[in-house]
Amino acid sequence: MKTIKSLLFALVSLLFLGSCSERIDAGHEGILVKAYGSDKGVQDVALVTGRVWYNPFTEDVYETPTFVQTVNYEPFGVNAKDGSVFTVDPTLSLKINSGESPKIFIKYRKPLNEIIEQTLVNHIKDVYRIEFNKYTTDSIISRREAFEDGVQKKMSEFLQKEGFILEQLTSGIKYPESITQAINAKNAATQKAQQAENELRVVKANAQKLIVQAEAEARANELKQRTLTPLLVQQQFIEKWDGKTPLYGSSPTFFKNVN
């Protein structure tokens, strides 16, 4: 019986010890949370990857991913300085700053995916609202690069304060329908003007070609008239004569006056 009790005790001890450890996988950061007692809260030092031993009755261990995560947020509308409504469809790639997971947990007390996908949404919208309020519709279109740089800078600063690092940001801005129609109309007009200009160039080229041909023909005829003398005509006639007297009118005549 003593042997059986010893074996049972050893088995229970192994099971208990097994439940007192947690392995933090690579690409994750572990935090140890005090559930009871005067030390209730989050320890100052974030736990490193590996196996962590803890008291399951008074402590909890949480695993937080530290690799880059990409989130495609739902589109939302934002007003420009002159009242035009733009649609923003942002996509953010971000990750936790090394060692910042305890700070994030203390502030939000939520799982990381819930913080990124839900809690940060309103802050992200605020960044866009602040930046859009600096630009009119025309200036957003003409200074798009400066606008995007401003959003990128403010978003990076905000996330840095929250314990995150911004890796990449895509705003996915869609212009108001009226602006889109105006741009399309302008592009269509530009294309038609370019087409008309190209057609005009073809017409001018063909006309120039005809002028050159006409001038060449006129020059050739002028040269022919200058060289076609009566004597030359008679010489050509003799060279081609077949020996018969030609008839001009009702009487035979050898040469016809060509003056």
Side-chain angles (χ1 to χ4, degrees):
M1 290 296 295
K2 289 182 179 180
T3 303
I4 293 174
K5 289 181 180 180
S6 298
L7 290 174
L8 288 174
F9 179 77
L11 180 60
V12 172
S13 298
L14 288 174
L15 292 174
F16 178 77
L17 289 173
S19 65
C20 295
S21 67
E22 182 76 23
R23 179 174 180 79
I24 309 301
D25 297 328
H28 291 73
E29 196 170 69
I31 54 176
L32 181 63
V33 180
K34 295 288 185 178
Y36 300 98
S38 59
D39 293 332
K40 182 178 179 180
V42 180
Q43 290 184 344
D44 294 336
V45 180
L47 302 176
V48 296
T49 58
R51 184 166 295 278
V52 180
W53 296 90
Y54 67 101
N55 183 352
F57 296 105
T58 60
E59 298 172 326
D60 291 314
V61 174
Y62 294 91
E63 235 180 352
T64 304
T66 56
F67 50 82
V68 176
Q69 301 186 61
T70 300
V71 184
N72 186 12
Y73 294 96
E74 291 293 325
F76 56 89
V78 185
N79 289 344
K81 189 175 182 179
D82 55 1
S84 297
V85 180
F86 288 77
T87 300
V88 181
D89 186 9
T91 300
L92 273 71
S93 295
L94 68 165
K95 67 178 181 179
I96 286 182
N97 196 3
S98 180
E100 294 289 311
S101 54
K103 168 186 171 182
I104 296 172
F105 185 85
I106 290 174
K107 183 173 183 177
Y108 295 106
R109 297 283 178 169
K110 294 179 181 180
L112 182 63
N113 63 326
E114 187 176 339
I115 295 172
I116 294 176
E117 296 174 8
Q118 300 177 18
T119 307
L120 296 181
V121 171
N122 290 332
H123 300 290
I124 293 171
K125 290 181 179 180
D126 286 340
V127 170
Y128 278 102
R129 289 192 184 101
I130 292 172
E131 200 64 22
F132 264 100
N133 196 43
K134 296 179 180 179
Y135 292 83
T136 62
T137 301
D138 291 339
S139 61
I140 289 175
I141 297 174
S142 61
R143 300 177 58 196
R144 179 68 179 272
E145 185 177 353
F147 170 81
E148 293 284 3
D149 289 343
V151 172
Q152 182 95 14
K153 181 180 179 181
K154 282 184 173 54
M155 193 73 71
S156 181
E157 291 174 353
F158 157 70
L159 291 175
Q160 185 73 30
K161 293 178 181 178
E162 299 300 313
F164 295 93
I165 297 176
L166 178 64
E167 295 287 335
Q168 187 175 9
L169 168 64
T170 303
S171 296
I173 296 176
K174 297 180 181 178
Y175 298 141
E177 185 63 26
S178 59
I179 301 300
T180 302
Q181 292 176 357
I183 292 175
N184 292 337
K186 181 180 179 181
N187 292 336
T190 301
Q191 291 177 357
K192 288 182 179 179
Q194 186 64 46
Q195 182 180 358
E197 184 177 350
N198 292 337
E199 291 175 353
L200 181 60
R201 288 176 181 174
V202 173
V203 171
K204 287 182 177 180
N206 291 334
Q208 186 66 30
K209 181 179 179 181
L210 293 175
I211 292 173
V212 171
Q213 290 177 346
E215 289 178 348
E217 291 177 359
R219 180 62 177 168
N221 291 334
E222 182 182 354
L223 292 174
K224 287 180 180 179
Q225 290 176 0
R226 290 180 180 179
T227 57
L228 196 61
T229 62
L231 183 60
L232 180 59
V233 172
Q234 292 178 2
Q235 181 180 352
Q236 291 178 350
F237 177 83
I238 294 172
E239 291 175 352
K240 297 181 179 180
W241 182 46
D242 58 0
K244 298 179 181 179
T245 302
L247 293 175
Y248 294 98
S250 58
S251 60
T253 305
F254 194 79
F255 288 111
K256 183 181 179 181
N257 188 7
V258 293
N259 290 330

